[in-house]
Amino acid sequence: EVQLVESGGGLVQAGGSLRLACAASGFTLDYYAVGWFRQAPGKEREGISCVSSDGSKYYADSVMGRFTISSDHAENTVYLQMSSLKPEDTAVYYCAREDSHVCTGYAPNYDYWGQGTQVTVSS
């Protein structure tokens, strides 16, 4: 059974940092890309980062230079290091498996999702 479990969310002051983890099971990162998404209240879901099975990384403009995605294939876990956090980063953060070994940027390709973890950035 494919599962993704996020952890690491919480409350942080503006300018602070958090590291999110996405523990994957039922498949291996050797063959699939994994992306991070977020959804703030009243807003559409936003794709913010993705890592391909070969380690290639992609970022949305909104997080470029502040967030870093990484993958540990031995642990089968994807991380999202978030720095210089802003109040507008407040959202529920989700990881999802892309049914591809590369990040395509095509939202319907994401077939399994985690339950989400709340990130709140206070001003």
Side-chain angles (χ1 to χ4, degrees), residues 4 13-14 20 24 34 38 40 47 55 75 84 86 92 112 117:
L4 300 108
Q13 288 189 331
L20 305 183
V34 171
R38 65 186 181 185
E75 297 288 334
S84 301
K86 306 174 183 179
V92 178
Y112 289 93
T117 186

Side-chain angles (χ1 to χ4, degrees), residues 20-102:
L20 305 183
C22 172
S25 59
F27 71 99
T28 172
L29 298 180
D30 292 345
Y31 301 111
Y32 291 91
V34 171
W36 282 98
F37 297 77
R38 65 186 181 185
Q39 188 165 23
K43 294 190 176 181
E44 291 189 356
R45 186 176 63 200
E46 175 190 18
I48 57 174
S49 188
C50 182
V51 59
S52 296
S53 62
D54 67 354
S56 299
K57 302 171 184 180
Y58 302 88
Y59 300 96
D61 289 345
S62 58
V63 304
M64 182 79 72
R66 299 188 299 122
F67 291 10
T68 302
I69 193 170
S70 62
S71 57
D72 184 330
H73 286 220
E75 297 288 334
N76 220 40
T77 299
V78 175
Y79 298 96
L80 187 69
Q81 177 68 47
M82 307 186 296
S83 302
S84 301
L85 283 162
K86 306 174 183 179
E88 51 264 44
D89 293 317
T90 295
V92 178
Y93 284 69
Y94 301 89
C95 63
R97 186 187 83 164
E98 181 161 5
D99 189 17
S100 169
H101 67 284
V102 297

